[in-house]
Amino acid sequence: MNAPCDEIYNLASPASPVDFARIPDFILKTNSIGQLNLLNWAKTHNARILFASTSEVYGDPLVHPQPESYLGNVDCTGLRGC
Ligand SMILES: NC(=O)c1ccc[n+]([C@@H]2O[C@H](COP(=O)([O-])OP(=O)(O)OC[C@H]3O[C@@H](n4cnc5c(N)ncnc54)[C@H](O)[C@@H]3O)[C@@H](O)[C@H]2O)c1
């Protein structure tokens, strides 16, 4: 990606729970290394980023509904951890 831009909207993710078991390594890398690449690019070009999160960040929540201040109950080594 070389064209300058002001804003990046990253909605890319294998987001299906079926994929969590099938391609966890790919999902982990897409959402970590891929996002890091975007952050570095944005910093270089002074662009802003919107990164779509997922309810998976809450894991198996102990609070319903989850406010933004809730840090979640995630099993990082579980099936949905990626
Ligand atoms: N749909 C929902 O209810 C919901 C709720 C909360 C969060 N989200 C988040 O919003 C985002 C988009 O969700 P969606 O429902 O549109 O999913 P979606 O599966 O319809 O779209 C995701 C897209 O990302 C693409 N993709 C996957 N890996 C990629 C890669 N390495 N590089 C480029 N593209 C890649 C897929 O081909 C697909 O087109 C995801 O991050 C998801 O976790 C969705």
Side-chain angles (χ1 to χ4, degrees):
M1 181 164 54
N2 291 316
C5 68
D6 301 318
E7 298 175 346
I8 299 167
Y9 297 83
N10 181 11
L11 309 180
S13 174
S16 161
V18 173
D19 291 335
F20 298 165
R22 193 174 63 87
I23 49 169
D25 186 59
F26 179 70
I27 294 172
L28 198 62
K29 287 175 179 167
T30 298
N31 290 331
S32 53
I33 298 171
Q35 183 64 12
L36 182 60
N37 289 340
L38 279 179
L39 285 168
N40 285 329
W41 191 94
K43 190 175 181 184
T44 301
H45 294 84
N46 202 27
R48 304 191 72 180
I49 290 185
L50 183 146
F51 182 34
S53 186
T54 166
S55 57
E56 297 299 336
V57 299
Y58 296 117
D60 189 11
L62 302 174
V63 175
H64 296 279
Q66 294 86 49
E68 290 296 329
S69 56
Y70 182 60
L71 297 180
N73 181 36
V74 178
D75 176 2
C76 293
T77 61
L79 278 178
R80 302 172 81 93
C82 64

